[in-house]
Amino acid sequence: MDSIVKDPVYVTGHQNPDTDSIVSAIAYAALRNALGDREYVAARLGNVSDETQRVLDKFDAEPPVLISNVRTQVRDLVFDTPPAMDRSVTIFHAWETMKQGDGAPSVIPVVEDDGSLYGMLTTGDIATHSMKNVDAPHVDNVPVYNLLSVLEGQIVNQPAGIPEELSGDVIIAVPTAHEGMLFNNPNSIVVCGQQADMVRHALDIGVKAVVICQADVSEEFRNDTSDTLIITSPLSAYRTARMINLALPVDRICAAENLKVFHLDDYLDDVKDVLLNSRYRAYPILDENDKVVGTMGRYHMIRPKRKRVVLVDHNELSQTVPGLSEAEVLGIIDHHRLADIQTTGPIFFRNEVLGSTATIISGMYQEKGIMPSKKIAGLLCSAIISDTVMFKSPTCTPHDKVIAERMARIAEVTLEEVGNTVFAGADLSKPVEELIFNRSMLYHYMYRHQKILAAEAQMRDAIYALSTTENTLFLKNRKGDLWKIAISGEISMETGDNTAAQPQTATIPLGARARARRITLRDFLSATAVTEQVFITYKNQVQWLRFLF
């Protein structure tokens, strides 16, 4: 999707997203697209959980595009796109391109037949080449067809064969009274005018070519069958001599070694370091296939075009997309507490005391007078049910249930049907490392001013027993599967029901005396009056599990 939208606005939830985060991104992007803002693209910051994938599959929806950060990249710059010229193009053609008006490029990428970079040609390269030929004009292996092109000329005699290339000194023949002052080097390209004697002399010594400028050619020379090429040109003798040197292909003079190149995905922070340590006027930019797409210079870095984002289901810096400080935040839609994200200017901000961000976005459809499709309505209903735990969460409001029922009617499903999909349970055949501590279920948030690594497993009462040894925590389900988690230090089970003033804690000391000690989950829950949440703390981190009964 990103490749279709030229300058997307990413709508993204928090890191390691849940169903509400994924669906809110999809629904809000769809709303803006329906209003005519076609650049809005749903995005996600992590893998899709099993629960969310079930919801997407039920309503035939694709997951949002995965992004890793919104740091400014080379692709975000308004870089130059000069013509990329094949390495066989003449120097003259390149120079003509470079001198066309104020916006003409001073640097041109030189490419291979497949579009990959060969070198970089600058106006300085052409000037240096021209000055070198002032004192000793000479060309090596200039292609004959290039020569005919720049001279606007044609071969008029009948040589035994036309060579592919010519080499030799470039000589302008002028009348002279002393025969010893005539040119005598057969490895020459002679330029002359209406001077039959000079042409005959050139043919006699067997020069490589004779260029007759602004003159008619007699039948004598047209019928010549020697190896010397006789070429006519409408240009003056002086211009012809200069143009012969510009008939060489650009790959002879362009820089082709030790090139500094950038790719579209390179980050500006990395690019700056290269720019500060080199003094080139422009640098080639390559795509993912190493094809040339443009050039950039230092001045392109002054005001880069930043990525644009809308944040949904969070407004906390530790949960958001990396590189947010380099992006332009257009809006935030959330139902959580206000946190620490700052912006450089005013933005659209909507925060409501509701159980789900999907509830807010559902209301925005109604406010804009747009009926969500069955797919979007089904997704919104699922997200509300997921985030409010089937309307049992303490954060759930009556409005959440009203909106969920409305979305269910549009999607032509029942709340029970959607609930069964959302809470179908995790695949208990997976190992605990994948089931509980899978990256798709992990996210960071602040708890008691500490960063907590959290893992959510919606497994109803699948786990019924806990036991510990000196280094291992064991979780056992009703099927008899035994899961092991390596630990060290003291384990505490910390619980809370979102209403208690202080979380309740039960400590399990580890050591030889505690080896193989068993604590049933139901007994533990009863003793601590927990309703939904269990915390397992070790190594100054808290692993959080939520169980639904």
Side-chain angles (χ1 to χ4, degrees):
M1 186 176 296
D2 187 14
S3 60
I4 299 176
V5 180
K6 183 177 180 180
D7 186 20
V9 176
Y10 291 112
V11 183
T12 179
H14 51 71
Q15 296 181 31
N16 302 290
D18 57 10
T19 301
D20 190 32
S21 180
I22 292 288
V23 169
S24 295
I26 294 174
Y28 186 70
L31 173 61
R32 295 305 300 258
N33 289 169
L35 293 171
D37 302 322
R38 308 301 297 180
E39 70 271 25
Y40 281 72
V41 174
R44 56 187 169 93
L45 303 183
N47 297 328
V48 176
S49 68
D50 291 343
E51 174 194 298
T52 305
Q53 190 60 58
R54 290 195 300 272
V55 170
L56 296 176
D57 291 343
K58 179 175 178 61
F59 296 102
D60 194 26
E62 293 294 326
V65 61
L66 178 65
I67 61 175
S68 59
N69 63 74
V70 287
R71 294 171 59 192
T72 305
Q73 297 171 289
V74 171
R75 67 171 65 251
D76 300 318
L77 300 176
V78 185
F79 51 79
D80 295 331
T81 55
M85 295 189 175
D86 190 88
R87 58 185 295 185
S88 63
V89 167
T90 63
I91 299 173
F92 172 72
H93 180 76
W95 172 247
E96 287 293 297
T97 302
M98 289 177 167
K99 70 175 187 178
Q100 292 176 356
D102 295 336
S106 60
V107 181
I108 291 179
V110 179
V111 298
E112 302 280 6
D113 292 338
D114 61 358
S116 59
L117 181 68
Y118 174 80
M120 295 290 287
L121 179 70
T122 69
T123 52
D125 295 329
I126 297 177
T128 300
H129 170 72
S130 297
M131 294 304 296
K132 285 181 178 178
N133 285 277
V134 170
D135 295 331
H138 179 89
V139 292
D140 286 314
N141 303 317
V142 58
V144 170
Y145 288 105
N146 283 18
L147 187 63
L148 296 175
S149 173
V150 300
L151 298 181
E152 303 175 30
Q154 58 181 332
I155 300 172
V156 296
N157 66 331
Q158 308 295 322
I162 299 177
E164 296 291 332
E165 298 175 334
L166 293 176
S167 299
D169 297 331
V170 179
I171 298 173
I172 299 179
V174 295
T176 178
H178 300 282
E179 186 175 341
M181 296 182 65
L182 290 173
F183 53 88
N184 292 298
N185 184 3
N187 293 319
S188 300
I189 300 174
V190 177
V191 180
C192 64
Q194 188 88 27
Q195 300 161 277
D197 55 338
M198 292 294 177
V199 176
R200 293 191 186 96
H201 179 71
L203 295 176
D204 289 341
I205 66 174
V207 299
K208 300 298 183 182
V210 176
V211 182
I212 302 175
C213 303
Q214 299 177 337
D216 295 329
V217 180
S218 66
E219 289 299 320
E220 173 190 354
F221 300 136
R222 288 182 182 276
N223 295 325
D224 180 77
T225 59
S226 66
D227 292 335
T228 299
L229 298 183
I230 300 178
I231 301 171
T232 60
S233 173
L235 307 180
S236 67
Y238 173 77
R239 180 171 173 78
T240 296
R242 299 300 303 271
M243 293 294 287
I244 291 174
N245 285 300
L246 298 181
L248 290 170
V250 291
D251 63 3
R252 304 282 184 88
I253 65 171
C254 70
E257 296 181 356
N258 301 320
L259 297 176
K260 302 289 185 181
V261 302
F262 299 121
H263 287 77
L264 289 173
D265 292 333
D266 289 344
Y267 296 111
L268 254 58
D269 288 342
D270 302 326
V271 170
K272 288 178 182 177
D273 295 336
V274 177
L275 293 180
L276 291 175
N277 292 297
S278 60
R279 301 182 63 180
Y280 295 105
R281 183 180 304 174
Y283 303 81
I285 300 173
L286 312 181
D287 63 12
E288 61 276 6
N289 297 316
D290 286 336
K291 301 296 191 300
V292 178
V293 294
T295 62
M296 64 169 289
R298 289 180 179 84
Y299 57 91
H300 291 110
M301 306 279 291
I302 297 175
R303 298 187 65 181
K305 182 177 61 177
R306 298 187 295 170
K307 288 185 171 69
R308 300 179 295 169
V309 295
V310 173
L311 307 180
V312 295
D313 199 34
H314 74 291
N315 68 102
E316 192 165 341
L317 196 59
S318 62
Q319 295 182 12
T320 198
V321 56
L324 188 67
S325 61
E326 299 180 28
E328 180 183 2
V329 180
L330 301 184
I332 298 176
I333 305 172
D334 193 17
H335 70 121
H336 298 99
R337 67 178 180 87
L338 296 183
D340 53 357
I341 289 179
Q342 297 182 347
T343 62
T344 57
I347 66 168
F348 172 77
F349 187 91
R350 184 160 179 168
N351 186 286
E352 297 186 38
V353 186
L354 294 170
S356 169
T357 302
T359 304
I360 302 174
I361 295 176
S362 298
M364 296 175 72
Y365 271 86
Q366 180 175 331
E367 294 167 6
K368 297 297 183 180
I370 295 178
M371 176 73 73
S373 64
K374 290 183 179 180
K375 175 191 297 186
I376 296 297
L379 293 174
L380 288 168
C381 178
S382 302
I384 296 171
I385 288 176
S386 173
D387 231 34
T388 62
V389 196
M390 202 65 180
F391 315 116
K392 295 179 182 179
S393 169
T395 61
C396 181
T397 68
H399 187 62
D400 289 298
K401 189 169 184 179
V402 170
I403 293 297
E405 290 172 343
R406 182 181 302 164
M407 293 298 108
R409 287 194 297 272
I410 296 173
E412 299 180 355
V413 294
T414 65
L415 296 180
E416 291 74 16
E417 178 185 351
V418 175
N420 288 334
T421 299
V422 172
F423 303 117
D427 182 2
L428 297 181
S429 64
K430 295 181 179 180
V432 67
E433 291 82 359
E434 182 177 351
L435 182 65
I436 299 180
F437 296 99
N438 188 287
R439 286 186 59 84
S440 66
M441 303 183 195
L442 299 180
Y443 59 90
H444 290 82
Y445 63 100
M446 298 303 293
Y447 181 78
R448 288 187 178 180
H449 308 294
Q450 294 180 349
K451 186 157 289 187
I452 297 172
L453 184 65
E456 180 178 350
Q458 296 181 340
M459 297 177 289
R460 297 184 181 272
D461 58 348
I463 298 177
Y464 80 99
L466 302 175
S467 63
T468 63
T469 65
E470 186 171 0
N471 300 109
T472 308
L473 171 68
F474 295 92
L475 304 180
K476 190 174 184 180
N477 67 6
R478 292 190 178 278
K479 293 170 60 179
D481 297 327
L482 189 62
W483 301 329
K484 300 179 182 180
I485 302 175
I487 55 177
S488 64
E490 185 179 82
I491 294 180
S492 62
M493 301 291 289
E494 190 173 72
T495 67
D497 60 0
N498 295 321
T499 60
Q502 296 291 334
Q504 303 177 51
T505 303
T507 300
I508 309 172
L510 291 180
R513 296 182 181 179
R515 185 178 300 276
R517 177 177 178 179
R518 301 183 63 81
I519 300 177
T520 64
L521 183 59
R522 287 190 177 278
D523 290 343
F524 178 78
L525 294 177
S526 175
T528 57
V530 69
T531 57
E532 292 181 359
Q533 299 174 346
V534 177
F535 293 88
I536 305 172
T537 305
Y538 67 94
K539 292 184 179 179
N540 296 321
Q541 291 184 325
V542 176
Q543 304 294 333
W544 175 63
L545 307 179
R546 184 174 75 181
F547 300 88
L548 307 177
F549 295 93

